[in-house]
Amino acid sequence: MSGNPALDLAGTVGSRRDEPSDLLAAPADLERWVAECDGLPDRVTADFATFESALSLREATYRLALDRVLDRPFDPGSLEIVNDMAAGPVPTIELSDAGLRMTGDLRAALSQLARSGIAVLADPHACLKECGRTGCTRIYLDRSRGARRTWCGMDQCGNRVKAAAYRARRRASTTAEGRGPEGTT
C-alpha cells in the first residue's frame, strides 16, 4: 500500500496524531504481518525481544520518513536504530521452478525491512508524501505520473474522501433547493 515494505511497517499505526490504532499489539500480529508482506520470509516466529525490536524499527522508520516529508534533518536516534537493524542477518533467497522463495528468521526480516527503508529514504528522487485524508498519517511513496497522488490508497482513504465530498455536495444541493437535509420543506 505504501509502496515500500518499511513504509508499510510504519503504517501499522494509524491515526498517529488523533487516536492511534496499532495493528501490531502482540508478537503473533507481527508474525502474520511479516507472512503477508511480499519480499520477506513467510514463516517467522516472534519472541518478545524481537517484537520490541520490530516496534523500534517501525517507529524509527516513521520518524525518518516524516523527517524526509517535512524536509528536515534526520533524527540521529532513529538513524542509529535503522542502520543497526540493517546490519543484521539477511534472508536467504532461493530460486526454483516455483519461483523465488525467501527464508530466514524475524531478525533477518527486520534487517531486510531496514535495508528497504534506507533505500527509499536515501533516494533523492523518491517522492514521499503523507496521506491527504484528515486523520490518516500514513506515509507513502508516490510513483504516480506527475507525483499527483493524494491518498495512501484508494481502498481506504481515497474512497472515504470522495464519498464524504459526494455527501457534502448532496447536502449542499438539497439545502440550496430550499429543503432540509431529510428532504422536507
Side-chain angles (χ1 to χ4, degrees):
M1 177 184 275
S2 297
N4 176 279
L7 295 177
D8 286 340
L9 177 64
T12 60
V13 173
S15 302
R16 287 177 177 267
R17 286 188 219 62
D18 301 327
E19 296 178 26
S21 61
D22 193 341
L23 299 177
L24 303 180
D29 299 330
L30 177 63
E31 291 170 359
R32 280 188 296 278
W33 185 86
V34 169
E36 293 172 9
C37 189
D38 289 337
L40 295 179
D42 57 0
R43 292 184 191 102
V44 298
T45 56
D47 59 23
F48 188 74
T50 313
F51 176 68
E52 289 294 317
S53 293
L55 298 183
S56 292
L57 176 62
R58 174 183 70 185
E59 296 310 309
T61 300
Y62 177 77
R63 174 69 190 266
L64 296 175
L66 187 60
D67 288 343
R68 175 83 187 278
V69 167
L70 298 175
D71 196 28
R72 62 187 184 198
F74 286 136
D75 172 65
S78 296
L79 280 174
E80 184 177 351
I81 290 168
V82 171
N83 287 330
D84 286 350
M85 202 70 72
V90 295
T92 301
I93 298 173
E94 300 170 347
L95 178 65
S96 71
D97 289 333
L100 185 69
R101 180 168 184 257
M102 188 174 290
T103 59
D105 62 6
L106 184 55
R107 288 184 54 235
L110 296 177
S111 177
Q112 184 73 11
L113 284 165
R115 291 164 185 256
S116 176
I118 288 171
V120 75
L121 293 167
D123 183 351
H125 304 294
C127 182
L128 296 181
K129 293 182 178 179
E130 187 175 57
C131 183
R133 182 177 68 83
T134 304
C136 183
T137 54
R138 182 183 292 269
I139 296 175
Y140 64 92
L141 179 59
D142 184 357
R143 292 187 177 124
S144 67
R145 187 175 180 149
R148 295 184 181 149
R149 187 170 151 192
T150 305
W151 308 292
C152 62
M154 277 303 292
D155 289 344
Q156 289 188 340
C157 292
N159 286 336
R160 286 183 187 177
V161 171
K162 288 183 173 201
Y166 172 77
R167 288 190 300 272
R169 285 191 308 272
R170 295 268 301 167
R171 277 193 302 274
S173 75
T174 302
T175 303
E177 292 173 0
R179 290 179 274 176
E182 282 85 35
T184 60
T185 15

